[in-house]
Amino acid sequence: MAATIKDVARACGVHVSTVSRTFSAPHLVNPATRSRVLAAADDLGYRPNRAARALTTGRTYNMGLIVADIANPFFPPLIKAAQAQARGRDYHVFVADTDEDPRVEEELIRTLTKQVDGVLLCSPRLSNRMIERLAEDVPFVVVNRRIKGMPAVLMNVAQGAKLALDHLAGLGHRKIALVSGPIGSWTSNEMQGVAAETPGLDLVFFGPNQPTETGGLAVAADVAACGATAVLAYNDLVALGLIEGLAAMEIGVPDQISVVGFDDILPGRLNRPKLTTVAMPAVAAGRMAVDLLLQSGGEGATVTLDTALIVRESTGRAQK
């Protein structure tokens, strides 16, 4: 006969409600007691009935995590961090990829709504109005999008963009190309806003662009022709594609043009030249998004995480 919750409580000398809390809200249980309960449950082969718990609590103990492009190396560390954080709170995470398509994003949200207690929406491509409408049916936390009244985890893109532009200006660069991402991107808007407010720069804007290596390759010839001595790219993938495109035209980085990316993904560290970039706190964002969803239930708070400039080999002094 399968072990019951009462068997576990009896084995470790606690109340049934303590065993229940250990599995439903482990953060509310004393760590020593939690360890004792889990050990007893493991010894007895006890597994909580999630379906029964959902019926009594009205919760599914599932959450959705929707990302713009799972092939982008920026997202896997965020996903893994969110999954680990959710697992510690006895939640399962359903991961879905929109392939940068707002229509797919809307379909996925509508599909997940009845199966989860909330959705983490990372770098969304939908309009704010549509996200607000969909949030009427399920709690949201948005990552890297500011929507009034909706909980959000923001990576401080404006801070990072300023650090990058100050770094380039300090190297003598005055004409700087800003290569943005897809239409409606909050990150692009933040970057452009900071660039426009930075005095003493001659800025050239290119966009919208695909947020991939292909997007960087496609814009390389235009960047080379504009006379800029430095580039701030939407993300590391765009920056790497741009460097590849410039190399095909025999334009050296950083000897003839400096390039800065955003994200600090592994390929940027392996590239030659190694990519100067703004490090985005993806792991911290994944953890914080889970905590915010479970704490707020879709109400209010915004958390902003610092970014940092990492100077490597793709930036150098402007050529006179």
Side-chain angles (χ1 to χ4, degrees):
M1 185 179 296
T4 68
I5 193 170
K6 291 182 179 179
D7 295 328
V8 177
R10 190 180 304 113
C12 54
V14 299
H15 196 273
V16 168
S17 62
T18 302
V19 179
S20 176
R21 251 193 321 276
T22 297
F23 288 99
S24 63
H27 59 291
L28 298 178
V29 181
N30 177 280
T33 303
R34 184 170 66 234
S35 297
R36 199 162 76 251
V37 170
L38 292 174
D42 190 54
D43 288 343
L44 294 169
Y46 170 75
R47 295 290 180 271
N49 187 322
R50 298 180 69 87
R53 183 155 47 122
L55 287 173
T56 58
T57 64
R59 300 181 191 175
T60 65
Y61 292 90
N62 299 321
M63 63 177 67
L65 196 167
I66 298 177
V67 299
D69 180 9
I70 204 166
N72 183 335
F74 169 75
F75 286 109
L78 186 152
I79 292 168
K80 287 180 70 66
Q83 286 181 320
Q85 195 76 355
R87 194 178 303 119
R89 306 287 289 274
D90 200 31
Y91 268 76
H92 292 165
V93 177
F94 299 157
V95 179
D97 171 27
T98 71
D99 201 24
E100 299 284 352
D101 188 331
R103 291 172 299 180
V104 173
E105 189 169 277
E106 181 181 351
E107 290 171 5
L108 286 169
I109 292 169
R110 293 190 185 281
T111 299
L112 284 172
T113 293
K114 303 301 182 184
Q115 305 174 54
V116 298
D117 296 331
V119 173
L120 311 178
L121 195 55
C122 301
S123 300
R125 302 300 179 226
L126 287 169
S127 68
N128 285 6
R129 179 175 296 180
M130 178 55 73
I131 293 172
E132 288 169 339
R133 189 177 303 163
L134 292 166
E136 294 173 2
D137 298 322
V138 65
F140 277 174
V141 170
V142 286
V143 177
N144 270 10
R145 175 76 72 86
R146 191 187 298 274
I147 302 175
K148 187 176 180 180
M150 191 170 295
V153 177
L154 305 177
M155 291 173 247
N156 200 334
V157 172
Q159 176 191 44
K162 186 176 189 315
L163 290 170
L165 291 169
D166 287 349
H167 168 65
L168 292 172
L171 292 171
H173 297 282
R174 293 296 176 266
K175 189 165 189 177
I176 298 175
L178 195 72
V179 179
S180 63
I183 293 173
S185 164
W186 177 82
T187 296
S188 288
N189 292 339
E190 290 288 294
M191 291 169 60
Q192 290 173 4
V194 170
E197 293 174 359
T198 302
L201 298 181
D202 180 8
L203 299 169
V204 186
F205 295 93
F206 293 97
N209 301 285
Q210 294 181 49
T212 61
E213 300 99 320
T214 301
L217 275 167
V219 78
D222 290 336
V223 169
C226 80
T229 62
V231 183
L232 178 58
Y234 170 77
N235 66 15
D236 286 353
L237 292 180
V238 171
L240 293 173
L242 179 63
I243 291 172
E244 183 180 348
L246 292 171
M249 294 182 282
E250 299 186 347
I251 297 173
V253 175
D255 295 339
Q256 293 168 274
I257 188 166
S258 290
V259 178
V260 180
F262 253 84
D263 289 346
D264 190 28
I265 60 175
L266 179 60
R269 299 171 223 163
L270 302 178
N271 191 65
R272 294 296 181 271
K274 294 180 180 180
L275 185 64
T276 294
T277 187
V278 175
M280 301 278 269
V283 170
R287 292 172 181 156
M288 184 58 67
V290 170
D291 287 346
L292 207 55
L293 181 64
L294 297 182
Q295 290 167 9
S296 69
E299 299 290 333
T302 295
V303 175
T304 301
L305 303 173
D306 285 341
T307 53
L309 179 68
I310 300 178
V311 178
R312 296 195 179 105
E313 300 169 350
S314 66
T315 51
R317 297 206 65 81
Q319 299 301 305
K320 297 181 179 180

